[in-house]
């Protein structure tokens, strides 16, 4: 059994105690949402549910779902659960067609989120004697802020590096003897390659652990990172909508991520019917924020496909474990940690005067995601003049980058050269091996 607990009393409470705590918090949260979020109250009324119908966690299934589409429709303030003056921060996801998802936080929300990330750091062996290098992006993205707050709670010396500027990352890592690295797995792999190019061996750095999330990664990639950096690599899971990283985290067993069930209730549903599935079944993860004040989501459909297990874990934690997400129940792609919908690229092409005939090809080169977009020209735009083609592909690439935040490689292709299937083009080809 592990001694690596940040809040032992919660992380190891019995399933019965946990159920009682979840029930108490759910009843209070449903009342809070009913009184403060008119949109969700309307969904409950449509379903014929009142707060009196929710007496505990076993009644969770009676509540209506909420989806990312609801969040977009209610942008920016429609799902706010408290007076704006009580909020101290926002974070946001990338927007599909200009409508972003904006999540609000009170100070108490941030304190709880920081605690969840602190649990992840301590589970990875972190203490107040560690030097924690945060190389997730800061700003509207939740990664940097979440792990930064968690690191402070643990008492680590925190290096808020943000992402990029790899030479500086390596200089600080080596000079300040960083022991824990937090970033996307693809960036961890890149840092490993950069260290090797500079002549460093894995044993030359002081790192012992890494906490990597925000994008899919395989067990094969995990082993490669562990060998390149001489560390143990831990997975972390979260969504902006439910706070950010720290919804779930890996312990030293590395056999799935413990969901912080005192703050989040988890269900698995059939993505087609909405039926709640039994433990051990594979389906779509649904999360309920049990104590978030500013942005309290009940039964939020994550679209991530996974399974849950309450098999006893040798680490001693009693929280349910979720497997690495095996895919999505919608068409969203995660590319270099960024949520990408084909419809975003379609919107750009239509705005630029193209027909929506395109193909997205996602790959992985040197542990970094690649994004190629093949765009069909019309008979009118077809040009054999290479100079014009180069100028046009650069223009389209910039327009797509402005929408997505990542740069694609754009290829203009001949009219009707993208294969149709039953009259409809195959939009996405994902050549990454994202799960074993």
């Amino acid at each position: 059994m592990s001694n690596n607990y940040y809040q032992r009393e919660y992380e190891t409470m019995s399933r019965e105690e946990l159920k009682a705590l979840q029930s108490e918090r759910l009843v209070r949260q449903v009342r809070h949402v009913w009184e403060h979020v008119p949109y969700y109250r309307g969904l409950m009324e449509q379903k014929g549910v009142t707060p009196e119908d929710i007496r505990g966690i076993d009644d969770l299934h009676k509540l209506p779902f909420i989806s990312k589409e609801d969040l977009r429709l209610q942008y920016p303030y429609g799902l706010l659960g408290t007076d704006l003056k009580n909020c101290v921060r926002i974070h946001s996801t990338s927007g599909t067609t200009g409508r972003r998802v904006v999540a609000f936080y009170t100070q108490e929300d941030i304190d709880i989120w920081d605690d969840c990330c602190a649990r992840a750091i301590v589970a990875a062996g972190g203490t107040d004697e560690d030097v924690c290098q945060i190389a997730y992006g800061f700003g509207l993205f939740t990664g940097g802020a979440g792990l930064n707050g968690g690191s402070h709670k643990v008492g680590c010396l925190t290096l808020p590096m943000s992402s990029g500027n790899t030479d500086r990352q390596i200089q600080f890592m080596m000079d300040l003897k960083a022991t824990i690295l937090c970033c996307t797995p693809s960036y961890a792999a890149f840092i490993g390659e950069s260290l090797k190019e500079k002549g460093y061996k894995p044993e030359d750095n002081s790192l012992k652990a890494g906490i990597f999330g925000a994008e899919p990664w395989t067990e094969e990639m995990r082993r490669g990172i562990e060998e390149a950096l001489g560390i143990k690599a831990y997975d972390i899971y979260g969504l902006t909508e439910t706070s950010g990283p720290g919804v779930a985290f890996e312990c030293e067993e590395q056999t799935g991520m413990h969901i912080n069930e005192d703050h989040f209730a988890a269900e698995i549903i059939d993505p087609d019917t909405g039926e709640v599935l039994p433990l051990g079944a594979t389906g779509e993860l649904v999360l309920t924020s049990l104590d978030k004040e500013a942005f309290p989501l009940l039964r939020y459909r994550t679209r991530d496909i996974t399974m849950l297990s309450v098999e006893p874990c040798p680490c001693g934690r009693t929280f349910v474990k979720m497997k690495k997400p095996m895919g999505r129940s919608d068409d969203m792609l995660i590319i270099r940690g960024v949520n990408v919908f084909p419809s975003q690229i379609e919107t750009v092409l239509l705005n630029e005067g193209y027909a929506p005939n395109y193909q997205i090809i996602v790959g992985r080169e040197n542990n970094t995601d690649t994004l190629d977009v093949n765009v069909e020209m019309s008979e009118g735009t077809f040009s054999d003049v290479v100079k014009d083609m180069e100028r046009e592909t650069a223009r389209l690439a910039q327009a797509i980058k402005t929408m997505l935040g990542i740069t694609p490689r754009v290829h203009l292709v001949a009219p009707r050269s993208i294969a149709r299937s039953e009259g409809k083009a195959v939009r996405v080809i994902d050549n990454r091996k994202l799960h074993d």
Side-chain angles (χ1 to χ4, degrees), residues 176-412:
L176 291 167
K177 295 182 166 46
T179 54
I180 299 172
L181 176 65
C182 304
C183 61
T184 62
S186 57
Y187 193 49
F190 182 70
I191 288 174
E193 290 169 11
S194 300
L195 282 165
K196 187 176 180 181
E197 285 171 7
K198 290 177 182 294
Y200 290 113
K201 299 185 177 68
E203 58 269 23
D204 293 336
N205 71 64
S206 300
L207 294 173
K208 65 179 184 182
I211 299 173
F212 308 128
E215 64 186 15
W217 53 311
T218 62
E219 285 301 314
E220 181 183 40
M221 189 172 180
R222 186 209 299 263
R223 301 302 164 219
I225 292 169
E226 289 184 332
E227 288 173 19
L229 294 175
I231 61 170
K232 194 161 182 175
Y234 296 82
D235 209 347
I236 191 168
Y237 175 84
L239 310 92
T240 300
E241 300 91 317
T242 54
S243 69
V247 170
F249 62 92
E250 261 188 332
C251 64
E252 67 264 29
E253 297 300 314
Q254 296 177 307
T255 54
M257 290 173 278
H258 291 284
I259 295 175
N260 283 308
E261 287 187 279
D262 51 336
H263 302 301
F264 305 98
E267 304 169 272
I268 295 292
I269 65 164
D270 181 314
D272 296 321
T273 67
E275 176 196 358
V276 179
L277 301 177
L279 273 171
T282 297
E284 181 184 336
L285 178 66
V286 173
L287 291 171
T288 292
S289 300
L290 294 172
D291 49 12
K292 194 149 189 240
E293 292 180 298
F295 204 64
L297 297 187
L298 305 183
R299 301 199 83 200
Y300 180 68
R301 293 190 60 164
T302 68
R303 299 294 180 181
D304 285 321
I305 302 298
T306 185
M307 63 170 285
L308 303 178
S309 169
V310 289
E311 290 292 313
C313 184
C315 79
R317 287 178 184 80
T318 51
F319 291 155
V320 68
K321 270 186 179 177
M322 63 175 278
K323 276 197 166 181
K324 270 182 183 289
M326 303 161 208
R328 302 275 307 170
S329 66
D330 60 9
D331 62 352
M332 189 184 88
L333 297 160
I334 302 177
I335 303 172
R336 291 178 230 154
V338 175
N339 297 350
V340 174
F341 289 86
S343 55
Q344 291 174 295
I345 292 172
E346 188 167 305
T347 299
V348 171
L349 297 181
L350 291 170
N351 288 343
E352 297 295 330
Y354 285 82
N357 298 322
Y358 61 93
Q359 196 164 57
I360 300 166
I361 302 168
V362 188
R364 185 161 270 170
E365 296 172 7
N366 299 321
N367 286 321
T368 300
D369 292 336
T370 59
L371 173 61
D372 288 78
V373 182
N374 293 337
V375 181
E376 255 190 21
M377 292 178 287
S378 67
E379 300 291 346
T381 59
F382 186 72
S383 171
D384 290 324
V385 182
V386 174
K387 189 166 64 175
D388 290 349
M389 300 266 283
E390 287 178 352
R391 187 185 304 126
E392 185 62 8
T393 55
R395 189 176 73 84
L396 277 179
Q398 183 57 47
I400 293 170
K401 182 187 178 184
T402 300
M403 171 67 86
L404 302 181
I406 54 177
T407 304
R409 296 183 294 215
V410 171
H411 312 275
L412 292 172

Side-chain angles (χ1 to χ4, degrees), residues 72-84:
R72 289 200 188 97
L73 289 171
Q74 294 305 303
Y75 169 91
Y77 294 126
L79 289 167
L80 191 60
T82 187
D83 290 343
L84 198 59

Side-chain angles (χ1 to χ4, degrees), residues 58 342 425:
D58 289 338

